Amino acid sequence: FELRNAGNIVPSYGQHAAGGEAATIESALEVLGVQDVVVCGHSHCGAMGALRSGDDLTALPGVDAWLGLARPSLATVLTDTPALADVVQSNVVNQLAALRSYPVVRQRLDSDRLRLHGWYYEVDTGQVHELDEDGRFRVHAG
């Protein structure tokens, strides 16, 4: 079961009452019984690249509004001129936190019926970096 969107953005619970992301999360967990959820960012993410470089998105109001959901949680990483990998990885961490705001996610985490995973995929090398317990992305050994 897959949910893909620009920037891997997960609106916090209640932020978009009738959003496709919320419907997908609820369906995956409640109907299909999904037990592992992966938020995977990648090394060539155009959405995070636009936020990193401060692109003028006024000609793309839908994209601008969508990326606006991620801007506040990335504010600290965007203060300098970070590497794109740092922005993408921070975004993965932030979106995992947004997932935890959903009651169905919290319930399943609390009862050990759900595992959340953060990945960063390097397109050029094929390497997958997995978020560890210490909050660092390390090359996945599997």
Side-chain angles (χ1 to χ4, degrees):
F1 202 66
E2 184 176 328
L3 168 64
R4 293 185 58 173
N5 64 41
N8 302 306
I9 295 171
V10 178
S12 294
Y13 180 74
Q15 196 168 13
H16 288 279
E21 292 76 23
T24 300
I25 292 164
E26 291 173 359
S27 295
L29 300 180
E30 292 287 350
V31 177
L32 300 176
V34 168
Q35 296 178 357
D36 288 273
V37 173
V38 175
V39 175
C40 182
H42 66 90
S43 59
H44 291 62
C45 183
M48 293 302 107
L51 289 177
R52 176 182 169 258
S53 62
D55 289 355
D56 178 5
L57 299 172
T58 54
L60 303 167
V63 172
D64 191 41
W66 180 248
L67 295 183
L69 297 173
R71 276 188 191 100
S73 62
L74 290 171
T76 56
V77 75
L78 292 173
T79 56
D80 297 327
T81 308
L84 180 58
D86 293 334
V87 177
V88 173
Q89 290 173 7
S90 292
N91 186 58
V92 168
V93 170
N94 295 338
Q95 300 319 309
L96 288 168
L99 269 171
R100 289 184 188 96
S101 74
Y102 286 77
V104 66
V105 172
R106 282 195 316 271
Q107 292 164 1
R108 283 182 163 44
L109 287 171
D110 290 346
S111 62
D112 292 324
R113 295 183 292 151
L114 179 66
R115 291 172 300 275
L116 299 180
H117 309 274
W119 290 0
Y120 172 72
Y121 174 64
E122 287 184 10
V123 174
D124 295 342
T125 67
Q127 285 189 319
V128 174
H129 300 251
E130 188 167 12
L131 184 64
D132 67 15
E133 303 84 34
D134 297 325
R136 295 179 186 195
F137 283 85
R138 302 197 189 274
V139 175
H140 182 66

